[in-house]
Amino acid sequence: MYRGSMPRTKGDHEARRRDVSAAVWQVMATRGFAGLTLRAVAAELGATTGLLTHYFPTKQALVEYALDLLEQRTVSRPRRHTGEGLAAFRDALLDILPLTPEATDSNRIWVSSWDTALSDPALSTDHARKYAKGRDRLIERVAAAQELGELSPGNPARIAAGAQAFVLGLVVQALFDPAVFPPARQVELLDDYLAALTASH
Amino acid sequence: MYRGSMPRTKGDHEARRRDVSAAVWQVMATRGFAGLTLRAVAAELGATTGLLTHYFPTKQALVEYALDLLEQRTVSRPRRHTGEGLAAFRDALLDILPLTPEATDSNRIWVSSWDTALSDPALSTDHARKYAKGRDRLIERVAAAQELGELSPGNPARIAAGAQAFVLGLVVQALFDPAVFPPARQVELLDDYLAALTASH
């Protein structure tokens, strides 16, 4: 289907981009950034490596595309909205955890991206910026929970940084040991964390 | 110095192994597992790639060696001993954090190993086993702190899993954003975490 032919219409082009994105995502979810090659994406897509070079002239272009795709899918993922204040803070933390197959793939790709990102100052800065934005969103929810008297009046930035650390580490544990950290266990540990935060005020 | 020659005595051999280990470590600390190649290790060592194939006939052998080296250096690293009970629990958590340049290199290599390990079921199982052993050591310290009445009588395995999640995530934040998470900030956040744990009992 893809061999050698170029897209002829805007619709064709967009359909093919979606297929390429799905193939890049699938390769990353299975093999990580270390296994992300033009050859692997071509095999996933049932296309030639030659066709892929049309989209990604270099390995660097493929890595950048993959990182953009990861950010897009993270930003546009479905979010929980079960309430205000502490409930909204908990929702934001649950949204990060690998509680579904889709969230597991996405987290596996995030964790895999860390090796690539730490080796490249520009990518590393970009990751730092993304995590800082994530903390900013948590800070708003901490402040809202404090206003409702559901969280201690401590520094919201410190509470948000601590909570972000907690869920990032829980992601890593759950990816390596899904038998020990199934979704129910992750939620239980997060609730222990939140219970300690709320009990200490 | 290394070009083409084979070690002649046991002393030569051991000195060379130490040099090779130092070169593998340095490459991983700078470029991660993604940048760990025979060529990069040879360049770091000032040796030929040919000599390196004597030690590492395949890329897989080099990766396994690097993972063993990471475990050895982690196991043999200096440890804090400032007290018993809660102080010993805090020491064990501080020992994990990137508070020194050496601990930063080691953590950067651990985080980098996750991409490689998640793509390989045997390596992934091995990482899960290492983190489970780490939790077992934390459980002992939690139980000791509980006996001294310094921590709540909750399930020690849950408290240990939560604390391990917290420090793993703090490692990731500190590696990406050392300006926002310098050592003093990491210790402050850990102490907030411990304060919430102790206040909630």
Side-chain angles (χ1 to χ4, degrees), chain B residues 12-187:
Chain B
D12 282 358
H13 184 74
E14 282 172 7
R16 184 163 297 174
R17 273 203 92 77
R18 272 199 301 279
D19 291 342
V20 169
S21 295
V24 169
W25 190 257
Q26 189 52 42
V27 168
M28 288 194 295
T30 316
R31 309 187 194 191
F33 272 78
L36 181 65
T37 60
L38 286 178
R39 184 188 293 230
V41 175
E44 181 69 34
L45 198 58
T48 60
T49 308
L51 177 85
L52 263 290
T53 60
H54 170 69
Y55 291 93
F56 312 113
T58 61
K59 174 70 195 277
Q60 184 63 20
L62 176 59
V63 167
E64 281 169 14
Y65 181 82
L67 287 168
D68 284 348
L69 185 62
L70 179 55
E71 181 160 30
Q72 276 169 35
R73 293 207 177 188
T74 301
V75 167
S76 65
R77 73 191 190 279
R79 311 278 181 144
R80 288 164 183 81
H81 291 287
T82 66
E84 301 304 309
L86 187 63
F89 181 48
R90 180 174 181 269
D91 283 346
L93 298 172
L94 288 172
D95 282 343
I96 296 168
L97 294 174
L99 300 175
T100 64
E102 294 73 29
T104 303
D105 280 355
S106 178
N107 272 297
R108 192 252 179 275
I109 297 169
W110 270 111
V111 170
S112 153
S113 78
W114 293 342
D115 186 19
T116 302
L118 284 170
S119 309
D120 179 315
L123 294 180
S124 190
T125 302
D126 203 51
H127 262 46
R129 183 188 55 73
K130 288 172 193 164
Y131 287 113
K133 274 176 68 179
R135 284 194 299 278
D136 286 344
R137 287 189 295 269
L138 292 177
I139 288 172
E140 287 172 22
R141 299 198 176 198
V142 168
Q146 287 175 325
E147 271 181 38
L148 293 173
E150 296 173 326
L151 273 181
S152 82
N155 183 335
R158 270 165 76 159
I159 296 173
Q164 190 186 46
F166 183 80
V167 291
L168 283 179
L170 193 48
V171 164
V172 174
Q173 286 172 316
L175 290 178
F176 277 111
D177 213 336
V180 171
F181 296 96
R185 169 91 167 159
Q186 295 177 51
V187 174

Side-chain angles (χ1 to χ4, degrees), chain A residues 31-34 108 112 114-115 118-119 128 158 161-162 164-166 169 172-173 176 181 185 188-189 192-193, chain B residues 31-34 108 112 114-115 118-119 128 135 158 161-162 164-166 169 173 176 181 185 188-189 192-193:
Chain A
R31 311 187 192 190
F33 272 79
R108 191 251 178 275
S112 154
W114 294 342
D115 186 20
L118 284 169
S119 309
R158 273 165 74 160
Q164 190 186 46
F166 183 80
V172 173
Q173 287 173 315
F176 278 111
F181 296 95
R185 169 91 167 160
E188 183 179 83
L189 289 169
D192 283 354
Y193 180 79
Chain B
R31 309 187 194 191
F33 272 78
R108 192 252 179 275
S112 153
W114 293 342
D115 186 19
L118 284 170
S119 309
R135 284 194 299 278
R158 270 165 76 159
Q164 190 186 46
F166 183 80
Q173 286 172 316
F176 277 111
F181 296 96
R185 169 91 167 159
E188 183 180 84
L189 289 170
D192 283 354
Y193 180 79

